[in-house]
Amino acid sequence: MADVAALRRVARIPWGQATLAITLGLFLFVFLILPIGRVIFVAFQDLRTGGFTLIHFSDFFATALFRESFWNSLYVAAMSVVFASLIAIPLAYFTTRFNFAGAAIIQSLGFIPLVMPPFVGAVAMLLLFGRNGSINLLLGQWFGINIPFMEGLNGVIFVQSIHYFPFILINLSASLNNIDRAMEEAAQNLGARGLRLFRRIVFPLAMPGYIAGASIVFIKILDDLGTPLLLNVTKMLAPQAYLRISSIGITDPMGYVISVLLVGFSLGALWVARLATSGREYATVQRGGGGLQKRDLRPGEKVLCYSIVLLILVVVLSPHIGLLLLSFGTVWSYAVLPDAYTVAHYIEIVRATPQFITNTLLYASFAAFADIVIGVAIAYLVMRSRLFGREWLDYVAMSAIAIPGLVLGIGYLRSFHGLEVPFTGEPLATWWVLLIVALSIRRLPYALRACTAGLHQVSVSLEEAALNLGARRLRTVRRIVVPLMGGAILAGFVTSFATAAVELSTTIMLVASEANAPLSYGIYIYMQSAAGRGAGAALGIVAVLIVTLGTYISHRVIATGRRAEEITSA
Amino acid sequence: MAEKLKSAISDPVGIVFDDLSIAYGRTEVIKHVSLEIKPGEFFAFLGPSGSGKSTLLRAIAGFGPHPSGRILIGDKDVTDLPPWERDVAMVFQSYALWPHMTVRKNVAFGLEERGLPRSEVRSRVDEVLAMVGLSEFGERRPSQLSGGQQQRVALARTIVVRPSVLLLDEPLSNLDAALRVEMRRELRELQRRLNVTTVFVTHDQEEANMMCDRIAILANGIIQQVGDPMDLYDQPANRFVARFLGTANLIEGTLDRSNSECVFRSPDGIALPLPAAALAGATGERAILIRPQSIEIRRRDEPAPDGRVRLDGVVELREFLGGHIRYVVRIGKTQVLVDTSHRPGRRDHEIDDPVVLYVAADELRVLGD
C-alpha cells in the first residue's frame, strides 16, 4: 500500500517543469554563481596556502596607486551625479511647474542616453571640449580663456554627467508629478509659499524617487570601464582591474579585490535605493488633476525657458554631434571643425572590418533571444508552477543586476581558464559563444522583469481554458501564453539587444581576436589611434543606428499590438 | 473633546460674495453668486456633483481661476490675495496630510509659517491635539492612523492657527456611516465652542440639515435658495430645491383665479381649491408641492375629515420602510407618494384598493418655476 501511495506522489510531480527548472538552475549556476563565487573566493584566498586571508585587501589599500584609484572612482561617480542633478533639478521643476510646450522636448531627452553608451562619444567629446577642442579654441579666440572640461577626471565626470542627466531628469519629473496637488494646496493654505514651500513639502516628497534613481546612476558610473579607458584615465578602479588582468594575467589578485569592491558598492547602492522607496508610498489618490499647480509663462520667461532648453538639448546631443562630425571628417585636430568631409571611414569599416558589425548583430540577437527564452521560462515557472524553491530561480537571475560587466568577464576568464571547447580545441574562456552567454546573463534581469510583467497581464483562466480543451502544457504556452505576452517579450528582446550591441566591459575581457570582436570592441580598437578615430566614429554611428532602429521598430510593434488588443478584448 | 478652549475666536467675521463668477476657460462654473455669510455661522454649501459648491469653497481659500466680482472676508477684499495671505484654513476632502511629517509636525506647520516662537507652537499643538483626542498620537505618521484619526489631524491642523474662517470640503465623505454620525456632532460642538465662521461643503442633505445654521443650495453654479434647514424644507423656492431636500410630490398644472377663488388644475383632472394665502405670485403654469407625510390616506368608505382637500385614487404599490409605510397612489395619470406611520395591528391598504387622500390646504405649496 505504501508503495502505491509513493508511486502516486511521484507521478504527480510535474517532471517536465522540474527538468526545465533544474536545467535553468544549472545554467545560472555555471554561468553566474560559479564565476562570481570564484572571483570573490580568489580575492580572499591566500596564494600559497589556499586559506582565507585579507592580505590582498590590505595590500590594495597600502598601495598609493590603488588608493588613489579608489577615491578617484568614488569622486567621479559622486560628482557626476551631483552635476547631472544640478542641471536636472531646476529643469524638472520648470516642467512640472509651468505649462510650456518645451516639456515635450525634455521628455524626449530621456531617450538619448539609451541609444549610445558614454564611451562611444568620449573621444568626440575630447575633440569638442578638450584643451585644444572646438569650444576651447573658440573661447580662446574670443575671450582668451580655456575651460578644463576634459582634463583628467573632469573629462570622465563631464561625459558621464551629460550622459546620465536625462535619466535623473525623467526620474525627478516623475517623482514631482506624483505629488498630490492637495499636499501643496494645504501648505499654501496654511501660509507657505515659494522656496519654503519647495523646501518643506515638495522636495521631501520627491526625495525618495530621486534617491532611488541617483543611486542606480552612481553605480553605473562606478562600474563603467569604457569611458575612462577611452579618455586615457587609468587611475580609477575599473581601468586598473582591466589593466592588471590584461597585462599581468588572471593570477593577479588585485583585479579580484577591485571586483569584490565593485560588487560591494553595487549591493550597497541597490540597498540604498530599496530603503529610499520602501515604506514611503508617497503617491496618493488624486482628484481633479494630479501633480503640482501649473501656471503659464510670461513671454519674457518663455524666451528664457526655451533658450535654456535649447542649450541643454545641444549639450546633451554634443557627443552625438561630435561623433557624427568625426565619422565624416578627414582630419580633425587643433581645429574647431574637421578640415574636410568624406565617407571614406564608412567604406573602410565595411570593407576592412565588416565582422565588427556582423558579429554584433549575431551576438546581440542570440543573447537577446536567449534572454527572452530564459525570461519566459523563469517567469512561467515562478508564476504558474508549484515547484519547490522556484523563487530562487528568480532571485538568482535578478542578482545579476548587481554584478558589473567587468567582474563577470574576470569571473569567466578565471573559471573557464585552461578549458577547451570540445571538438575544436579552442580555449573556452574566449570562445565567442561564451561571450553571448555573458551578454545574456548581464541583460537577463531586465528581460525577466519584462516577461514577468507581461505574464502578469495574462489571466490564468485563458490557459486553463486551453488545458480544459485538451492542449498539453507546452502547446498551451506556445499557442496561448507566449502570443499574449507578445508585447512584453518584444520589449524584453529589444532592450536586451540594444544594450548587448554596445556593451564593452564584459566584451573587452572576453574577446581574444579581432575576428570575433563586436562593434564595441571595434570602436575601442579604432579609437586608440588618431588615424583610426574616424573609422571608430563611423562604427559608433552604425551602433547608434542599429540601436535606434531596433527601439523604434519595437515601439511601433508594441503600439499596434496594443491597439489590436483594445479592439479584440471585450 | 471636553477641554476648555483658549482658542475661541472673540470676534468672528462674515463672508460676502459680491456678484462672483468663476470660469474654467470658456466654461462658467459659478454664475453671478451673491451671498452673505454671517459671522460665527456654520454655513453649508449643499448640492449635487458638479453644482460648483467645491469651487465656491476653494475660491474663499484662493484656489482656482481668478474670479470676477469680489470676495470679502470681514471688511477686507481678498479677491486679489494669494492663498497664503488669507487667514482661512481648509480641511481637504483627502485630508492632504503630509506623509513625511509626524502628526505634531503636520499640526505645527501653520504656526511655524506664521513665525511663532517654538514654545508657543508646542503648547498650542498640545492643546489642539487634546481637543481632538489625539494627544498620544503626536509622534505617529499619517500612514499609521485610521481614517477617522487622519481626519482629526487635518482638523487640528486648521484650528490650531485660529483662522478667521474655517473651510471644510466634504470632510466626512471618506468615513464609514457610524463614524460620520459621530463626527457630525463633534464638529458641530467644536464649531460652537470655537465660535469661528465655518463653511461646509456636502452633497448629503441630512448632514447639512443636522449641522448647519443656514444652507445655500447650489445647482449648475447658481444659488437656488438660501435659508435655514427647516425653511428650505418647508418653503422651497423652486422644483429643484423641493426635490433635493426630502421626497416631494410635484403636480404640474395651471393656477386659475376666478371670482374670489383660486383653483389649481392639472391636465389629468386633479382640481385643488386653494386659499388665497397659498398663492405664490401670479396665475399661470405652476407646480404644487405636497410632502408625502402631509397626506392622510383613507378607504373610500371611511368618513372624511373636515376641511381638507380631497383626492380620489387607487393604490398601486406599497413599500414597508420599517418606521413607516409608503404608498404609491395613482390619481388620473399622476403618481402620488404617501407616507403613513406604521403601527402593528393597524389595517393597511392593499394594492388596487380605491382610496381617498386628504391634505390640509395650507400644506400645499405652490412653486413658481
Side-chain angles (χ1 to χ4, degrees), chain A residues 300-323:
Chain A
E301 290 176 332
K302 255 198 197 143
V303 171
L304 185 66
C305 275
Y306 276 109
S307 330
I308 295 180
V309 169
L310 209 59
L311 181 66
I312 293 191
L313 197 61
V314 168
V315 171
V316 169
L317 285 175
S318 54
H320 308 72
I321 298 172
L323 195 69

Side-chain angles (χ1 to χ4, degrees), chain A residues 419-429 431:
Chain A
L419 298 174
E420 282 180 0
V421 181
F423 307 117
T424 61
E426 251 185 77
L428 182 63
W431 192 30

Side-chain angles (χ1 to χ4, degrees), chain A residues 14 17-18 20-22 24-25 28 374-398 448 452 455:
Chain A
Q17 290 175 356
L20 181 62
I22 293 176
L24 288 170
L28 288 174
I374 300 176
V376 169
I378 294 183
Y380 191 81
L381 284 175
V382 169
M383 291 173 63
R384 293 287 198 257
S385 82
R386 291 220 187 82
L387 285 179
F388 175 77
R390 64 190 183 281
E391 317 83 39
W392 282 98
L393 280 176
D394 190 278
Y395 297 153
V396 173
M398 291 304 289
L448 181 55
T452 308
L455 189 55

Side-chain angles (χ1 to χ4, degrees), chain A residues 183 185 189 196 200 287, chain B residues 58 90 93 98 100 112:
Chain A
M183 300 274 159
E185 287 178 348
N189 176 247
R196 265 187 86 84
R200 297 196 69 186
R287 180 174 72 130
Chain B
R58 287 164 57 88
M90 185 154 128
Q93 188 177 7
W98 300 299
H100 62 293
E112 287 165 355

Side-chain angles (χ1 to χ4, degrees), chain A residues 180-193 196-197 200-201 204-205 280-282 285 287 293, chain B residues 58 61 63 83-84 88-90 92-94 96-101 105 109-110 112-114 157 161 169:
Chain A
D180 188 351
R181 189 178 296 188
M183 300 274 159
E184 203 199 7
E185 287 178 348
Q188 287 175 322
N189 176 247
L190 290 168
R193 59 181 294 218
R196 265 187 86 84
L197 177 63
R200 297 196 69 186
I201 305 292
L205 289 177
R280 286 168 190 264
E281 288 307 313
Y282 285 177
V285 175
R287 180 174 72 130
Q293 298 166 22
Chain B
R58 287 164 57 88
F63 296 120
W84 45 87
V88 305
M90 185 154 128
F92 291 76
Q93 188 177 7
S94 67
L97 298 180
W98 300 299
H100 62 293
M101 295 185 185
K105 295 233 101 209
F109 189 88
E112 287 165 355
E113 290 306 310
R114 282 157 175 74
R157 189 169 70 177
V161 299
D169 190 356

